[in-house]
Amino acid sequence: RTLSNDSDPFYDGKERFAFNSVSDDHLYERFKMWLKETPEEPYLAVIETTTSHFPYTHPISKETTLEGTIEYADKYMGLFVEYLKEEKFFEYNGVLVITGDHRAMRLIKPEEYEVLGPMADSMVPMVIMGKGFKGVDRDKAAHTDLGASLAYLALPKACFNQYQRNIFKPENPRKTCALFQRHPFPHNVLIDCGGRISKICLLSHTSRA
């Protein structure tokens, strides 16, 4: 089954925004329906919201401000978390990961660079909620860590390559460097080796006959 915006009749007649997507609240409502129909077995569900993405159109006021759409997204995400609590999602070993695919599409402010340094254009928040999780893991994690780490939680076996770390075992720090893409520069990669930051530019060569 698919919960795609384009194929599910639940979204018929609903207003569309960035990437032809409906607003966050409708995505969460559709997931709630799906959750009630899902058998009691391990599953992975991905909800990709777009309200907080450029051009930052508020679904209700229609204003275009980053701050307004973040406030909207935060409100409905909070309501969704409360719903999961009421449904005892976390008590049944459910894990919720909240993250973004890139930072806000706007210039980095001097105060942001002062805190994050050269990693400023690669850093995104990640919040993990689940039974027994607490505290803050300050060792850098990358999106490439997430798949294997979730497999570690849900499957009998999980494999990690040399550039991945298990984010659910903070006592086991990363053994090698971490790789981060620079946004919005797809051919630029940041390498963090124990706090030492290096930049690599990936070049492609096309031969002509």
Side-chain angles (χ1 to χ4, degrees):
R1 297 191 57 186
T2 176
L3 304 184
S4 166
N5 277 334
D6 298 323
S7 60
D8 195 307
F10 175 79
Y11 302 116
D12 289 350
K14 292 180 171 55
E15 190 173 3
R16 302 291 176 138
F17 298 92
F19 303 104
N20 198 38
S21 177
V22 297
S23 56
D24 295 4
D25 57 324
H26 292 313
L27 286 174
Y28 291 133
E29 287 302 317
R30 182 63 186 94
F31 177 79
K32 292 176 186 179
M33 295 169 57
W34 177 85
L35 188 61
K36 292 184 179 298
E37 301 164 359
T38 302
E40 295 183 1
E41 58 184 29
Y43 65 86
L44 172 66
V46 179
I47 306 175
E48 184 177 4
T49 64
T50 62
T51 297
S52 56
H53 195 284
F54 183 84
Y56 313 123
T57 303
H58 195 290
I60 300 175
S61 69
K62 305 301 186 294
E63 295 179 349
T64 53
T65 66
L66 173 61
E67 291 74 13
T69 53
I70 290 295
E71 184 176 317
Y72 168 93
D74 183 67
K75 172 184 176 180
Y76 283 96
M77 184 183 296
L79 292 173
F80 179 62
V81 170
E82 290 303 315
Y83 167 82
L84 293 178
K85 290 180 180 179
E86 293 172 1
E87 293 296 308
K88 302 186 184 304
F89 173 82
F90 300 110
E91 293 184 25
Y92 297 124
N93 295 320
V95 176
L96 175 67
V97 179
I98 304 170
T99 189
D101 59 340
H102 58 75
R103 71 178 304 277
M105 299 175 67
R106 65 180 185 180
L107 295 176
I108 298 173
K109 296 181 179 180
E111 53 266 32
E112 185 179 2
Y113 191 88
E114 183 177 350
V115 174
L116 300 175
M119 295 293 295
D121 54 10
S122 296
M123 298 292 282
V124 295
M126 182 188 301
V127 177
I128 300 175
M129 303 179 64
K131 188 176 182 179
F133 297 159
K134 59 182 179 180
V136 178
D137 180 5
R138 299 195 180 280
D139 192 5
K140 290 185 179 69
H143 285 129
T144 52
D145 300 332
L146 194 53
S149 297
L150 290 173
Y152 163 80
L153 286 183
L155 303 177
K157 183 179 181 180
C159 298
F160 294 82
N161 64 39
Q162 60 179 325
Y163 296 108
Q164 294 174 312
R165 65 177 283 255
N166 189 339
I167 59 179
F168 297 113
K169 295 188 70 175
E171 68 275 13
N172 293 340
R174 188 183 304 278
K175 297 179 180 179
T176 58
C177 303
L179 307 179
F180 300 89
Q181 180 182 348
R182 296 184 64 206
H183 182 78
F185 311 106
H187 300 297
N188 283 259
V189 176
L190 289 178
I191 301 180
D192 184 343
C193 297
R196 181 181 177 182
I197 311 298
S198 301
K199 298 180 182 179
I200 294 181
C201 180
L202 305 177
L203 301 178
S204 61
H205 174 73
T206 302
S207 61
R208 296 184 179 181

